[in-house]
Amino acid sequence: MTHRTVSGAGPEPGLPDDARAGVTAPDPGCPVEITLAALRGRWTTLLVRELLRGDRYAYSELAAKLPELSAKVLSERLAQLVAAGAVRRVRTPGWPSAVTYELTPHGRDLGPVLQALWDWGAAQGAPGPAPEEAGVT
């Protein structure tokens, strides 16, 4: 597997030399870049996490699950995930109409991605205090 966003500097384990040659900027067509673009922005991974926990959620339910998330950012992140094909916005007819959000099968595939990110971060351990805070100069 090659990742075309890798710079040409230094040996990269698991990548052939030709995958590194001449790459100096991210390629928007790279699968890794596509995934990162879908998950970009603060709160996006937490929103996906909440959607992974259930079937469908109303906007107000999602807002209640992430109370520190502003309405503006919640709307932006939901629109971003809908545009990426990870979330489906379902509008039920009637009066008043109701709108719910659910992960698409494509969005459910993000579950193992988030788990891998969690596992990697957990393996790094909690960051310690800055050297000056720990009395090291």
Side-chain angles (χ1 to χ4, degrees):
M1 168 170 71
T2 63
H3 180 187
R4 296 181 302 191
T5 61
V6 175
S7 70
E12 298 285 338
L15 292 177
D17 288 335
D18 61 338
R20 294 186 299 266
V23 177
T24 58
D27 176 355
C30 171
V32 173
E33 291 299 321
I34 292 168
T35 305
L36 293 175
L39 294 174
R40 80 179 178 281
R42 296 181 74 180
W43 297 96
T44 308
T45 55
L46 295 178
L47 183 54
V48 171
R49 178 199 67 193
E50 292 305 323
L51 289 165
L52 282 165
R53 293 178 173 169
D55 292 329
R56 284 187 180 175
Y57 291 103
Y59 180 93
S60 59
E61 291 173 311
L62 291 169
K65 290 182 177 299
L66 299 166
E68 298 199 14
L69 175 58
S70 73
K72 177 181 184 274
V73 173
L74 176 56
S75 294
E76 288 173 356
R77 295 304 178 263
L78 284 168
Q80 169 186 324
L81 290 165
V82 167
V87 169
R88 181 179 304 119
R89 183 178 187 269
V90 180
R91 184 182 188 103
T92 52
W95 184 256
S97 65
V99 175
T100 56
Y101 296 89
E102 65 185 1
L103 288 173
T104 63
H106 186 60
R108 289 217 168 270
D109 289 343
L110 289 170
V113 173
L114 293 183
Q115 184 64 53
L117 290 170
W118 172 272
D119 293 345
W120 190 88
Q124 304 311 304
E132 57 275 5
E133 293 175 15
V136 177
T137 55

